[in-house]
Amino acid sequence: QVQLVESGGGLVQAGGSLRLSCAASGRTFSSYAMGWFRQAPGKEREFVATISRSGGVTDYADSAKGRFTISRDNAKNTVYLQMNSLKPEDTSVYYCASGRSTGAMRGQQCDNWGQGTQVTVSS
């Protein structure tokens, strides 16, 4: 099992950028696909992005394509989400998660979840 801790959330104006980080414990980080999800108040949790074990494959929700970039550093046991051109509708709690494959992540079939970090985008 891996423990995940997100950081980097905050308040930003529309059009701004934030980089979220998710630090994982344990020595098996590179064995997991990783992903980012978000949940706004009153809405269901939704998939944002996922990255394969090696980092060679990425996949994004349509809402994230062209604006968000997921990456990972297996030497640092960390996955990142660079978010640019932020919009008020990106306001959510963002969660990172680990899973068996990018396909599983897209289906929210995740093994471990972080506690979340709040991102608020003001208009």
Side-chain angles (χ1 to χ4, degrees):
Q1 189 170 356
V2 61
Q3 292 185 328
L4 306 171
V5 179
E6 302 96 335
S7 61
L11 174 64
V12 64
Q13 289 188 334
S17 298
L18 280 175
R19 188 176 82 154
L20 305 183
S21 299
C22 174
S25 65
R27 295 181 292 177
T28 59
F29 178 72
S30 61
S31 300
Y32 294 96
M34 298 297 296
W36 287 96
F37 302 81
R38 67 187 185 185
Q39 187 168 20
K43 295 187 177 181
E44 293 186 352
R45 185 174 60 201
E46 64 178 4
F47 165 78
V48 175
T50 183
I51 189 166
S52 62
R53 296 179 183 90
S54 67
V57 176
T58 58
D59 189 20
Y60 297 89
D62 288 344
S63 60
K65 286 179 181 176
R67 300 189 300 127
F68 295 2
T69 302
I70 189 171
S71 62
R72 67 189 296 163
D73 186 337
N74 286 344
K76 296 182 177 180
N77 282 12
T78 302
V79 62
Y80 305 97
L81 185 68
Q82 177 67 44
M83 304 188 293
N84 299 328
S85 302
L86 283 162
K87 305 174 182 180
E89 51 263 43
D90 293 318
T91 296
S92 287
V93 177
Y94 283 72
Y95 299 90
C96 75
S98 63
R100 297 190 176 189
S101 68
T102 53
M105 303 300 288
R106 215 181 209 285
Q108 299 200 35
Q109 297 172 15
C110 305
D111 298 325
N112 299 285
W113 292 88
Q115 84 289 348
T117 186
Q118 176 70 46
V119 171
T120 303
V121 185
S122 63
S123 58

